């Protein structure tokens, strides 16, 4: 990421113009994590630590298209996992000198919210009703109340939307409280709802521009339909699941009565919708039948036998019914072979109440009357019984598990019904303006930098696998209305070909309650008048515009210029095909560009059975209890320990390690700062020239390498590697360096410290300063607490450390010196541990043997090794073939 602002040199004092200054700060006698979240969250708010400075130019801004969580119920630990990854990036970029645009949105519209509102307030939406500004719901709270639609009061869509908005406010407040507890460095003045007036206006404006350019169109076509939610479903919302069924071997009758043609089907209730039998053109069994006709059992309808390469010769009988419509293959055959439409399944999941006109025989009509109006399951039973009685069922049905398409939120297989819907071209169809769009979207994907890179193939596979345009209309209520009306002819017929389009200045509009220009309310539904489009947009049609919504597209051109295209889209891997793709599509169509430069893709959180955690599976863990028990820094540490794109187990043990690290930051910092006396000057100057002892210089040289490598990792969106490097060095710093130099850092009590004491204290200060900044993106509360003891301003507004200043301070020093000296000290301590004596016990005499290659390194630090190990008489030798330091012939001081 070469566009990053250079980091500041290490020892320069840091300050913030919004922070109060002080001359002294007292390091507390006792430290702890309790209460840090509440205290520092308040301070950050008061000081505007994370407020976005919109005076900065686009080159100085790092903007994030933050995922708006769905507001329905509660967040779960998977949200904490992925949103922590984003916050680490935001904090790092802020410390790198970028002004970070980090908004938060709430995804309010959707089916879960509708259902909650229906049950909570005892209402149901009827978009034909007028808006009642004085409406008061019949109840508040659904406990013990009836959830039947018949017991719910019908209200207009506008009234229903208002109730949805009212109920989601409480959820949003709870979500915000949790995000603040977690320490997300969001600018809370930059928030939005996907159903608020601003979002509705932008979504409608973008749709109308799609319509004007020919990218949005309306069509009467077969589409996937969820009978439970009573709405059309897009390709991106499908889930393929196994569903139990039975194969039925059914006889169709040849015109020459020369024998039956057997078909195996799992859906015999669709026999009255059959329009052809299809076999593979190379299947020798059926070549004599191509071009002939057969008659369907029970219903006696003549249908042709045709060839198509999508038929599967080795599946069942090798010949299949094409019904309008049983599955997506039926749609393909119907379209490519130009077959008639004979739909019998209605939107409510039941068969048509009236006998279709193409069933003409008396027996056929009687059979259909027996199944008319039934559910598909009940109709199937009736048809099988009739086939068994007529002799057209060969054998008994055999059980099978078939793959069926489900709506991702549904629990019944989808049906395919014909309806009038709105589409946006997405390259899934080659005809018309879709030609070339697929290639353009693939090119956009090639421009986008995926983290991790292997996630790119999911985007490409989705684009290449599209088989239809994006269906964006939904037969629901809580969402952004399709902003159109339709004129009615003198006969009262709806003229869909000439929609009435509002001016952009009037947006947002609700066609169910607003009146189009040139009409009056009393003309609604009257011949020569108008009707409003009753549908809303798919929730992704709004969410696909989050960069435009958050960035103030055409509402705030100055802001939009500073943040768009954005730098980062963080999101889950499972919505690459929906949110990521649809956002790329809308930006490509409207702006001719990508909506962002980078896409950071998080993995999933897995439960102990290695299954993805999700609300639908009921295996989620709510995070507030974890934050309260372990502390926010600890939970963030667990999240940051997993790389982007990698699934991670929910692991409390990792949180405990994170808590231990956060506590160690407090304790080690208090210990290190204590060497300089009780009162520590704020922003005391740290001059690297004062670091003169080789061991101190070696420590800083090693830290310089950590800073360099950790910075490279964070620039590559590998926060886990940066944390590993920093944490490993920090524990070495605590376990080895602090112990090695503490005697020298304390000094001999002279009024003027010796150069060795000054060297140790300065090196400790520099190292602490740098490590706090390295750890700050992951452990924001503990690092801010320590920073406040001796620095002004916020560590989160301090410049990211630069390796060059550290490297200069440790010039010509070998970083391996610290490790070698640490192993030598560990060997001396092992002697005392095995003797079960205090670590303060002196070693009167001993031989310290070290690997020969490490002898020069240990010699450099020998004075500190002796002091830390309380080794009065110590002989140092180097030995070839020795793997680690050992102590021989030790004589310990007697108590």
């Amino acid at each position: 990421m070469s566009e990053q602002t250079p980091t500041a040199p290490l020892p320069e004092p840091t300050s913030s113009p919004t922070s109060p200054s002080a001359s002294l700060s007292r390091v507390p006698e006792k430290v702890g994590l309790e209460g840090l979240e509440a205290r520092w969250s308040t301070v950050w708010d008061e000081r505007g630590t994370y407020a976005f400075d919109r005076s900065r130019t686009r080159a100085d801004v790092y903007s994030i298209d933050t995922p708006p969580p769905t507001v329905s119920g509660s967040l779960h630990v998977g949200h904490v996992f992925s949103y922590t990854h984003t916050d680490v990036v935001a904090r790092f970029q802020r410390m790198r000198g970028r002004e970070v645009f980090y908004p938060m949105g709430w995804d309010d519209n959707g089916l879960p919210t509708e259902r909650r509102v229906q049950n909570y307030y005892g209402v149901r939406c009827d978009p034909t009703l007028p808006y009642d500004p004085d409406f008061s719901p019949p109840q508040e709270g659904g406990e013990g109340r009836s959830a039947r639609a018949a017991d719910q009061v019908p209200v207009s869509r506008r009234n229903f939307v208002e109730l949805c908005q009212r109920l989601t406010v409480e959820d949003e407040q709870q979500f915000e409280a949790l995000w603040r507890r977690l320490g997300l460095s969001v600018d809370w003045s930059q928030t939005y709802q996907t159903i608020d007036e601003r979002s509705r206006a932008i979504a409608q404006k973008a749709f109308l521009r799609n319509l004007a350019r020919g990218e949005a169109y309306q069509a009467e076509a077969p589409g996937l339909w969820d009978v439970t939610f009573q709405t059309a479903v897009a390709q991106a919302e499908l889930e393929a699941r196994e569903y139990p069924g039975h194969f039925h071997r059914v006889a169709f009758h040849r015109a020459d009565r020369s024998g039956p043609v057997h078909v195996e089907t799992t859906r015999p209730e669709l026999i009255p919708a059959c329009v052809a039998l299809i076999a593979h053109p190379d299947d020798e069994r059926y070549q004599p039948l191509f071009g002939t006709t057969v008659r369907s059992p029970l219903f006696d309808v003549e249908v042709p036998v045709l060839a198509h390469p999508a038929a599967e010769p080795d599946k069942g009988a090798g010949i299949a019914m094409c019904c309008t419509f049983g599955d997506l293959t039926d749609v393909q055959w119907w379209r490519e072979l130009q077959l008639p439409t004979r739909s019998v399944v209605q939107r409510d999941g039941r068969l048509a109440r009236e006998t279709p006109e193409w069933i003409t025989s008396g027996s056929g009509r009687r059979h259909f009357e027996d199944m008319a109006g039934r559910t598909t399951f009940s109709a199937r039973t009736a048809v099988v019984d009739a086939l068994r009685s007529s002799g057209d069922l060969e054998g008994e049905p055999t059980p099978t598990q078939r793959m069926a398409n489900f709506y991702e939120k549904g629990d019944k297989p989808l049906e395919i019904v014909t309806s009038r819907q709105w589409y946006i071209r997405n390259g899934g169809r080659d005809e018309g303006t879709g030609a070339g769009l697929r290639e353009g979207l693939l090119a956009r994907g090639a421009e986008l930098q995926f983290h991790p890179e292997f996630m790119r193939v999911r985007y490409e596979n989705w684009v290449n696998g599209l088989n239809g345009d994006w269906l964006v209309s939904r037969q629901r209520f809580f969402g952004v209305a399709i902003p159109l009306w339709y004129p009615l002819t003198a006969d009262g017929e709806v003229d869909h070909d000439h929609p009435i389009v509002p001016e952009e200045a009037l947006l947002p509009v609700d066609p169910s309650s607003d009146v189009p220009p040139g009409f009056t309310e009393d003309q609604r539904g009257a011949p020569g008048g108008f009707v409003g489009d009753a549908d809303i947009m798919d929730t992704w049609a709004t969410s696909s515009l989050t960069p435009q919504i958050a960035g103030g597209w055409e509402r705030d051109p100055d802001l939009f210029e500073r943040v768009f295209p954005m730098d980062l889209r963080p999101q889950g891997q499972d919505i690459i095909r929906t949110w990521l793709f649809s956002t790329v599509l809308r930006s490509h169509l409207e702006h001719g560009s990508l909506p962002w430069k980078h896409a950071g893709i998080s993995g999933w959180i897995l439960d102990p059975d290695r299954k993805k955690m999700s609300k639908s599976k009921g295996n989620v863990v709510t995070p507030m209890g974890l934050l309260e028990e372990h502390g926010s820094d600890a939970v963030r540490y667990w999240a940051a320990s997993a790389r982007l794109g990698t699934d991670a187990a929910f692991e409390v043990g990792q949180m405990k390690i994170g808590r231990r690290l956060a506590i160690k930051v407090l304790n080690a910092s208090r210990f290190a700062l204590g060497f300089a006396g009780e009162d520590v000057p704020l922003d005391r100057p740290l001059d690297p020239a004062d670091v003169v002892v080789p061991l101190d210089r070696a420590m800083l040289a090693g830290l310089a390498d950590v800073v360099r490598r950790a910075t490279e990792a964070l620039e590559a969106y590998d926060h886990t590697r940066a944390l590993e490097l920093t944490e490993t060095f920090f524990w070495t710093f605590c376990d080895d360096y602090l112990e090695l130099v503490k005697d020298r850092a304390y000094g001999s009590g002279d009024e003027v410290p010796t150069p060795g004491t000054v060297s140790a204290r300065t090196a400790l200060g520099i190292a602490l300063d740098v490590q706090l900044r390295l750890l700050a993106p992951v452990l924001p509360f503990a690092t801010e607490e320590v920073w406040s003891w001796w620095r002004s301003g916020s560590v989160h507004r301090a410049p990211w450390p630069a390796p060059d200043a550290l490297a200069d301070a440790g010039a010509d020093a070998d970083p391996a010196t610290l490790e070698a000296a640490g192993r030598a000290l560990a060997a001396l301590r092992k002697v005392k541990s095995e003797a079960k004596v205090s670590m303060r016990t002196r070693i009167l005499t001993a031989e310290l043997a070290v690997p020969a290659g490490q002898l020069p390194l240990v010699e450099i630090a020998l004075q500190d090794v002796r002091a830390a190990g309380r080794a009065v008489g110590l002989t140092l030798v180097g030995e070839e073939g020795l793997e680690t330091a050992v102590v021989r012939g030790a004589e310990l001081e007697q108590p």
Side-chain angles (χ1 to χ4, degrees):
M1 291 161 47
S2 58
E3 70 271 18
Q4 299 298 337
T5 304
T7 49
L10 161 97
E12 290 298 318
T14 58
S15 61
S16 168
T18 61
S19 305
S21 61
S23 59
L24 295 175
S25 177
R26 189 176 184 85
V27 178
E29 293 184 5
K30 293 184 178 180
V31 298
L33 298 176
E34 289 69 24
L36 293 187
E37 292 92 347
R39 177 148 62 88
W40 285 112
S41 292
T42 301
V43 171
W44 292 334
D45 266 356
E46 292 174 349
R47 297 179 179 178
T49 303
Y50 308 124
F52 174 65
D53 179 3
R54 62 179 297 158
S55 68
R56 301 285 290 275
T57 64
R58 181 64 187 90
D60 295 330
V61 169
Y62 186 91
S63 52
I64 301 172
D65 184 18
T66 319
T70 301
V71 182
S72 60
S74 61
L75 295 167
H76 61 78
V77 74
H79 292 101
V80 168
F81 177 73
S82 57
Y83 281 74
T84 296
H85 296 168
T86 306
D87 191 60
V88 170
V89 174
R91 291 180 178 278
F92 168 68
Q93 291 292 343
R94 196 177 286 115
M95 296 176 74
R96 289 283 272 167
R98 303 289 287 278
E99 190 62 28
V100 176
F101 181 69
Y102 188 11
M104 179 62 69
W106 309 116
D107 192 2
D108 305 272
N109 66 63
L111 293 170
T113 301
E114 284 192 29
R115 290 201 156 187
R116 286 189 65 209
V117 167
Q118 289 169 352
N119 297 332
Y120 190 87
Y121 291 115
V123 299
R124 58 183 172 84
C125 183
D126 183 346
T128 65
L129 294 177
Y131 173 65
D132 180 359
D134 300 318
F135 177 76
S136 178
Q139 68 184 49
E140 289 206 20
E143 191 70 29
R145 308 275 188 168
S146 171
R148 294 194 314 156
D151 297 327
Q152 295 170 342
V153 175
V155 296
S156 73
R157 179 160 68 191
R158 184 172 168 187
N159 286 119
F160 189 77
V161 167
E162 288 178 353
L163 292 175
C164 291
Q165 291 171 321
R166 184 196 303 184
L167 189 57
T168 55
V169 166
E170 183 178 340
D171 287 336
E172 290 167 8
Q173 292 172 345
Q174 293 175 357
F175 282 23
E176 181 176 333
L178 188 141
W179 287 148
R180 288 177 179 271
R181 178 67 183 250
L182 182 63
L184 296 191
S185 58
V186 165
D187 180 352
W188 290 105
S189 68
Q190 303 284 347
T191 60
Y192 65 88
Q193 298 172 306
T194 58
I195 198 62
D196 64 22
E197 185 172 306
R198 170 179 43 163
S199 297
R200 296 201 311 272
I202 286 177
Q204 290 183 340
K205 180 184 296 185
F207 173 82
L208 292 178
R209 293 192 179 183
N210 292 138
L211 179 62
R213 293 191 296 262
E215 297 152 1
Y217 64 93
Q218 196 177 27
E220 182 90 23
L224 294 159
W225 185 267
D226 188 283
V227 299
T228 302
F229 293 109
Q230 287 290 287
T231 186
V233 176
Q235 183 182 352
E237 298 168 308
L238 299 184
E239 283 186 3
R241 306 177 198 164
E242 284 194 341
Y243 192 73
H246 291 79
F247 273 120
H248 307 78
R249 187 171 173 85
V250 177
F252 279 70
H253 305 287
R254 302 177 196 245
D256 61 5
R257 302 185 181 276
S258 60
V261 178
H262 285 103
V263 172
E264 293 190 14
T265 178
T266 59
R267 302 205 61 183
E269 75 277 12
L270 293 183
I271 291 175
C274 182
V275 292
L277 296 189
I278 310 288
H280 195 277
D282 297 332
D283 193 329
E284 295 182 357
R285 293 172 295 176
Y286 300 109
Q287 286 183 352
L289 282 174
F290 293 148
T292 67
T293 62
V294 293
R295 304 193 74 83
S296 62
L298 302 181
F299 305 99
D300 198 30
V301 176
E302 187 176 21
V303 296
V305 181
L306 303 172
H308 194 281
E312 301 174 276
D314 56 349
K315 184 176 180 179
I319 190 168
M321 293 193 303
C322 175
C323 303
T324 53
F325 296 92
D327 57 22
L328 293 175
T329 302
D330 283 345
V331 176
Q332 178 188 2
W333 287 338
W334 166 81
R335 181 177 291 125
E336 295 180 6
L337 297 175
Q338 299 183 349
L339 298 170
T341 302
R342 295 174 182 168
S343 298
V344 296
V345 179
Q346 308 300 294
R347 291 188 179 194
D348 59 1
R350 295 176 179 271
L351 267 66
R353 274 74 173 172
E354 301 294 330
T355 302
E357 48 87 17
W358 61 84
I359 301 176
T360 57
S361 72
S363 61
R365 297 182 69 83
R366 286 192 296 274
H367 280 304
F368 193 87
E369 289 169 2
D370 288 342
M371 55 194 294
R374 295 196 188 194
T375 65
T376 54
F377 179 83
S378 176
R380 186 177 309 144
T381 300
V383 167
V384 171
D385 288 343
L387 289 169
R388 189 180 287 113
S389 297
S390 69
D392 291 320
L393 179 68
E394 182 176 296
E396 284 300 307
T398 56
T400 184
Q401 289 289 114
R402 65 185 178 94
M403 295 303 294
N405 285 318
F406 286 75
Y407 175 40
E408 59 188 1
K409 292 182 173 63
D411 55 10
K412 291 183 179 179
L414 295 171
E415 295 292 350
I416 299 178
V417 301
T418 300
S419 59
R420 182 175 291 276
Q421 302 288 346
W422 279 100
Y423 300 83
I424 292 179
R425 301 188 190 280
N426 64 2
R429 300 178 67 178
D430 293 334
E431 64 268 22
T433 59
L437 181 55
R438 187 194 303 263
E439 289 72 20
L441 293 171
L442 288 170
R444 292 290 178 216
E447 291 178 49
L448 184 60
Q449 297 183 49
F450 281 85
H451 307 281
E453 168 63 26
F454 65 77
M455 286 292 176
R456 181 187 309 280
V457 70
R458 299 196 182 193
Y459 173 88
E460 293 173 344
N461 287 345
W462 174 251
V463 176
N464 283 317
L466 287 168
N467 55 30
D469 286 329
W470 178 14
L471 187 153
V472 295
S473 51
R474 292 292 182 275
Q475 289 65 55
R476 302 302 301 171
F477 314 114
F478 186 44
V480 179
I482 302 287
L484 298 171
W485 301 267
Y486 304 99
L488 295 177
T489 67
D491 297 330
E493 295 295 323
V494 180
D495 182 3
H496 288 104
D497 295 331
H498 299 91
I500 304 169
V501 179
E503 295 180 7
E504 289 187 357
L506 298 176
L507 302 176
V509 298
D510 183 354
S512 68
S513 56
D514 294 328
V515 178
F519 291 84
T520 59
E521 180 60 36
D522 59 4
Q523 292 179 279
R524 186 184 298 272
F530 71 93
V531 293
D533 196 307
D535 291 347
I536 63 168
M537 297 184 201
D538 168 20
T539 185
W540 295 114
T542 305
S543 297
S544 62
L545 297 165
T546 50
Q548 290 84 351
I549 293 170
W553 174 51
E554 297 205 343
R555 175 185 58 86
D556 189 344
D558 177 76
L559 176 63
F560 195 67
E561 183 180 349
R562 297 175 195 277
V563 302
F564 187 89
M566 292 187 167
D567 290 274
L568 175 65
R569 154 62 68 82
Q571 65 163 71
Q573 58 183 308
D574 52 332
I575 51 175
I576 289 175
R577 72 188 196 279
T578 49
W579 194 32
L580 188 145
F581 170 73
S582 62
T583 311
V584 170
L585 171 66
R586 301 304 286 280
S587 182
H588 176 76
L589 295 176
E590 183 64 40
H591 307 288
S593 72
L594 280 173
W596 358 260
K597 302 174 186 175
H598 302 269
I601 312 297
S602 292
W604 288 332
I605 294 301
L606 307 178
D607 67 11
D609 295 326
R610 306 298 295 176
K611 295 179 181 177
K612 176 195 173 187
M613 279 192 178
S614 67
K615 290 181 183 179
S616 62
K617 290 184 171 64
N619 62 348
V620 301
V621 175
T622 53
M624 187 57 83
L626 295 172
L627 297 175
E628 293 171 347
E629 179 181 358
H630 302 287
S632 298
D633 282 349
V635 176
R636 290 172 62 99
Y637 171 88
W638 159 74
S641 298
R643 284 182 170 83
L644 287 177
T646 302
D647 296 342
F650 172 69
E651 192 174 350
V652 171
Q654 195 76 357
M655 297 177 195
K656 292 179 178 178
I657 294 173
R659 182 175 179 83
R660 177 171 170 253
L661 175 62
I663 292 173
K664 190 67 174 180
V665 167
L666 298 179
N667 287 325
S669 298
R670 179 182 177 277
F671 185 63
L673 292 173
F675 292 129
E678 195 172 81
D679 291 321
V680 182
L682 280 174
D683 293 330
R684 63 177 180 176
L686 299 170
D687 188 352
D690 291 335
V691 182
V692 295
V693 175
L695 178 62
D696 303 335
R697 295 168 64 83
M699 183 273 293
L700 294 182
L703 183 54
D705 186 57
V706 170
V707 170
R708 178 183 59 79
R709 295 164 67 195
T711 303
E712 290 173 352
L714 285 167
E715 287 176 341
Y717 293 85
D718 189 352
H719 54 258
T720 304
R721 179 58 178 158
L723 176 59
E724 289 171 350
L725 291 164
T726 303
E727 182 184 11
T728 299
F729 184 89
F730 176 75
W731 284 111
T732 300
F733 173 81
C734 295
D735 296 342
D736 294 342
Y737 183 74
L738 280 177
E739 294 300 323
L740 284 164
V741 305
K742 65 182 179 182
D743 281 4
R744 178 157 52 87
Y746 275 129
S748 58
D750 297 336
E751 188 171 331
V752 178
T754 66
T757 296
V758 172
S759 177
R761 291 177 180 177
T762 303
L764 283 167
I766 290 175
L768 181 60
D769 180 292
V770 169
Q771 290 178 95
L772 288 174
R773 287 186 274 168
L774 289 176
L775 289 168
V778 177
L779 309 178
F781 295 104
T783 54
E784 187 77 304
E785 172 70 8
V786 173
W787 195 260
S788 72
W789 298 345
W790 68 313
R791 292 296 197 219
S792 65
S794 170
V795 67
H796 305 298
R797 283 289 185 175
W800 187 254
D804 293 347
L806 288 166
D808 290 343
D812 302 325
D814 188 344
T817 300
L818 177 56
E819 180 182 4
R823 290 184 177 181
L825 176 59
L828 294 173
R829 289 181 164 181
K830 181 179 179 183
V831 170
K832 299 177 188 181
S833 178
E834 291 176 345
K836 298 182 179 179
V837 298
S838 167
M839 289 297 151
R840 300 193 64 82
T841 301
R842 292 192 301 171
I843 298 176
L844 302 179
T845 60
E847 178 185 86
L848 174 62
V850 299
Q854 295 182 10
L855 180 61
L857 303 177
V858 179
E859 285 177 334
I860 291 173
L862 187 57
Q863 182 177 348
D864 288 323
V865 171
R866 282 192 174 119
R870 303 290 191 270
V872 178
L874 189 65
T875 303
L876 178 66
V877 299
E879 291 186 10
E880 296 290 345
L882 199 63
E883 293 185 359
T884 190
V886 295
V887 174
R888 303 188 183 105
E891 180 184 350
L892 301 178
E893 180 182 43
Q894 296 302 311

